[in-house]
Amino acid sequence: MTSTSRRAIVALALAATLGLAGCAPAAQGDGAEPTPTAGGTLTYGRLASANDLDLHTQITANNAFAIDKIFESLVSFDEHGKIIDWLAKNHEISADGLTYTFTLRDGLKYSDGTDVKAADVKFSLDRNLAKEGPLALTAPISEIATDDAAGTVVITLSEAYTPFLSELTSFSAGVVPKDFGGKTEEAFFKAPVGTGPFAIGEWDPAGDLNLVKNEHYWQDGKPLLDGLDYVFVADDNQLLQRLNAGQIDAIEQVPAANAESVEKGDATQLLKSDSWAIEQIFFNTQKPEFADVHVRRAVAQALDLPGITQATTFGTARAASSLIPPAIEYSAADAFDAEPVLSHDVDAAKQELAKSAFKDGFEATMLIPSGNSARAQIAQVVQESLAKIGIDVQIESIDLASFRERFKAFDYDFMINSGQSDAPDPNGLVTFQADPEGFSNSFWTHYTNPEVTKLMHAGRTTADGPEREQIYTDIQRILASDVPYIPVYYSPNLHGTTAKVHGLESLPNGSVRFQDAWVEAK
């Protein structure tokens, strides 16, 4: 395995600790729960269209949560973040932690009816490694051996690697046919074939995506739906209006300000659950002002995070105090709430700024994506708060596609964005946000700290337990002091549906499973 692929991002997080507040089935005349019915199409409103379905090159939610409906991995996780067998009916790990043996389920087929073979798994994982994409496997894999007759895949590591099973739950570890079933890569990903509950129907990369039932899905009788339509609506308020009007069946994201009205509405339901996402303020440390740690610390102390959280999420979220959310193992959130690394203190913020090379203040532009009302509100509060310590903030709001292009090109001063885990282990978020040589260059902040890098590598090879917990606590403390980014709040999943929608499963990575979903006749 190359050193570059070792540096690629791994996904993160562990079990969501709070219970799932799901939608109760709508009551019918006699008070009994309605009987699930098969058929029909569910329309699902989203803020961004799916424009690329290559599982080994994508990372953003607009693509990831379409890809995971088409491709599936050997193992996955449930709504609480617990790792479960998926395409593999079972797996075994050797006592030394070096050998992982997976046995495929019997009779697995792709959506075109062809058989899934163990060799397909090797092809898929080898391509994952070769692409060195944003969610490439980082485990030290030395060999992948397969036996098509026995349906087994044996993966050998050169050294123990604690997050490996978690890595394999990512959508990027999904299985595709060997050699793309005889097609070119380009042709295959225009109409991909996978084992997921749905297959591609019609697709406009700049607009809507129509998914159709996989008639060969391995879960008997599923999916219940004949179709799943992803409808692109660029504004969260417009999404909500269309949900309330019954023009669409469900929406991916309910604005926090409207969560209560959706929950209490006669014709709507709120699906709320814990998540692995954190709303954050990110600094471009290539900018002289934000390269100065005293400036970053001053900004952190000038912001009242609990106040911002309450004002912008209406009590739906928890103010953040550490990088790793409380829904993830080894989070320091509770400890840092009790003893903050940096507290809200305007006088202390002014003193901190006075230690910097910019003691007289400066101008900076905060970049945010348009169509997101919560981020617009946060930006306004930041603007007002930093004015008190002499920092003049201008707000630049641009469309989501341009926003992504800009920050990935380091063409920004500071911005509001979210960090998101894709699979269960604390290593992933740390790798994505603190590895200067990784895919995202510390989430496009250009932050580097040799001590954090050292601890990050130690966390990957240390077995779960108190020693590993201390490693991640130390990492979180250093990041909270260096402030390459400010975790603002831990974002819950807030999905909205009409009262006629049932069976959605909200996952902590922000995705939704639809194989059990059904819609009452309209």
Side-chain angles (χ1 to χ4, degrees):
M1 184 174 181
T2 68
S3 60
T4 303
S5 60
R6 284 177 182 272
R7 295 195 300 264
I9 169 182
V10 55
L12 93 67
L14 185 85
T17 57
L18 299 181
L20 205 63
C23 342
Q28 293 187 326
D30 59 359
E33 294 183 359
T35 301
T37 56
T41 297
L42 188 150
T43 57
Y44 192 59
R46 310 185 76 211
L47 289 170
S49 58
N51 56 31
D52 194 322
L53 299 177
D54 188 337
L55 71 170
H56 297 138
T57 65
Q58 299 304 303
I59 188 172
T60 53
N62 60 312
N63 293 323
F65 300 157
I67 289 170
D68 67 5
K69 308 300 179 288
I70 301 166
F71 303 109
E72 296 178 316
S73 48
L74 292 170
V75 288
S76 186
F77 50 83
D78 64 14
E79 67 269 28
H80 304 296
K82 178 183 177 182
I83 294 177
I84 53 178
D85 290 314
W86 205 249
L87 293 185
K89 63 182 178 182
N90 57 60
H91 70 272
E92 296 180 358
I93 305 173
S94 62
D96 59 8
L98 300 180
T99 304
Y100 291 70
T101 302
F102 300 89
T103 303
L104 296 177
R105 295 181 184 276
D106 299 329
L108 280 177
K109 293 182 180 295
Y110 292 107
S111 57
D112 64 357
T114 57
D115 293 333
V116 177
K117 299 180 179 179
D120 298 340
V121 178
K122 175 176 169 55
F123 172 79
S124 303
L125 298 182
D126 283 343
R127 183 175 186 266
N128 177 300
L129 294 168
K131 282 291 183 181
E132 298 180 344
L135 286 173
L137 297 168
T138 60
I141 297 174
S142 59
E143 182 183 17
I144 302 175
T146 62
D147 184 332
D148 283 334
T152 57
V153 179
V154 180
I155 303 174
T156 304
L157 308 182
S158 59
E159 62 178 348
Y161 189 85
T162 305
F164 180 50
L165 198 62
S166 171
E167 287 190 3
L168 291 178
T169 69
S170 169
F171 70 87
S172 65
V175 177
V176 303
K178 182 180 179 181
D179 299 323
F180 306 109
K183 297 181 179 179
T184 64
E185 281 191 28
E186 182 179 5
F188 178 81
F189 285 110
K190 285 183 178 179
V193 171
T195 66
F198 297 96
I200 293 293
E202 297 181 358
W203 175 31
D204 175 4
D208 298 345
L209 170 63
N210 164 243
L211 297 164
V212 297
K213 178 178 182 175
N214 176 2
E215 299 289 350
H216 303 281
Y217 193 49
W218 57 273
Q219 294 188 31
D220 291 341
K222 300 177 184 178
L224 296 174
L225 297 167
D226 288 335
L228 173 63
D229 286 347
Y230 277 5
V231 179
F232 169 48
V233 180
D235 182 86
D236 54 6
N237 287 314
Q238 291 182 24
L239 270 179
L240 183 62
Q241 291 170 9
R242 295 188 64 178
L243 177 71
N244 287 332
Q247 296 171 348
I248 52 180
D249 298 310
I251 60 176
E252 189 169 48
Q253 182 175 326
V254 174
N258 306 106
E260 185 176 3
S261 64
V262 171
E263 184 175 29
K264 294 182 177 179
D266 292 335
T268 56
Q269 301 175 119
L270 182 71
L271 181 61
K272 180 182 178 181
S273 65
D274 246 6
S275 83
W276 297 333
I278 319 100
E279 197 73 0
Q280 300 176 71
I281 296 168
F282 293 86
F283 298 104
N284 180 356
T285 64
Q286 291 183 319
K287 298 289 183 179
E289 296 85 353
F290 294 130
D292 192 321
V293 67
H294 297 295
V295 170
R296 301 195 305 266
R297 287 171 61 89
V299 172
Q301 290 174 310
L303 300 180
D304 176 9
L305 299 183
I308 292 174
T309 301
Q310 180 61 38
T312 59
T313 74
F314 299 86
T316 63
R318 171 178 170 177
S321 56
S322 67
L323 173 63
I324 301 177
I328 300 167
E329 192 174 27
Y330 308 139
S331 169
D334 290 341
F336 290 0
D337 279 352
E339 297 184 23
V341 176
L342 293 174
S343 300
H344 171 53
D345 186 328
V346 176
D347 289 336
K350 291 177 180 178
Q351 294 171 15
E352 192 71 44
L353 189 65
K355 298 176 185 178
S356 76
F358 304 92
K359 61 182 180 180
D360 295 325
F362 58 91
E363 295 182 357
T365 299
M366 170 164 274
L367 190 68
I368 62 171
S370 59
N372 188 309
S373 55
R375 289 182 183 171
Q377 289 178 297
I378 295 172
Q380 290 172 0
V381 176
V382 171
Q383 183 182 54
E384 295 169 0
S385 300
L386 297 192
K388 297 176 182 178
I389 64 171
I391 300 176
D392 181 11
V393 176
Q394 302 299 313
I395 300 171
E396 183 179 4
S397 177
I398 59 177
D399 69 88
L400 185 59
S402 299
F403 173 76
R404 287 172 174 157
E405 290 176 2
R406 285 274 299 276
F407 75 71
K408 289 180 179 179
F410 288 91
D411 183 15
Y412 76 100
D413 294 343
F414 65 149
M415 67 170 175
I416 302 175
N417 209 337
S418 61
Q420 172 66 63
S421 168
D422 294 279
D425 191 89
N427 173 58
L429 189 58
V430 170
T431 297
F432 192 46
Q433 294 203 189
D435 187 351
E437 297 182 334
F439 167 80
S440 70
N441 203 319
S442 298
F443 207 119
W444 296 279
T445 64
H446 218 274
Y447 168 77
T448 182
N449 181 312
E451 181 63 20
V452 171
T453 302
K454 179 182 177 181
L455 289 167
M456 177 180 64
H457 287 286
R460 296 172 181 169
T461 57
T462 303
D464 280 318
E467 183 180 354
R468 194 169 192 237
E469 180 177 17
Q470 187 61 54
I471 288 170
Y472 286 104
T473 298
D474 291 345
I475 289 173
Q476 290 170 85
R477 188 174 299 279
I478 294 170
L479 293 176
S481 179
D482 280 357
V483 204
Y485 23 74
I486 302 173
V488 179
Y489 58 75
Y490 305 122
S491 309
N493 290 322
L494 298 173
H495 310 295
T497 77
T498 67
K500 293 184 177 296
V501 173
H502 307 274
L504 301 189
E505 182 182 7
S506 178
L507 299 177
N509 70 340
S511 188
V512 172
R513 286 202 177 111
F514 290 94
Q515 54 260 41
D516 292 315
W518 60 280
V519 183
E520 294 178 40
K522 299 178 181 179

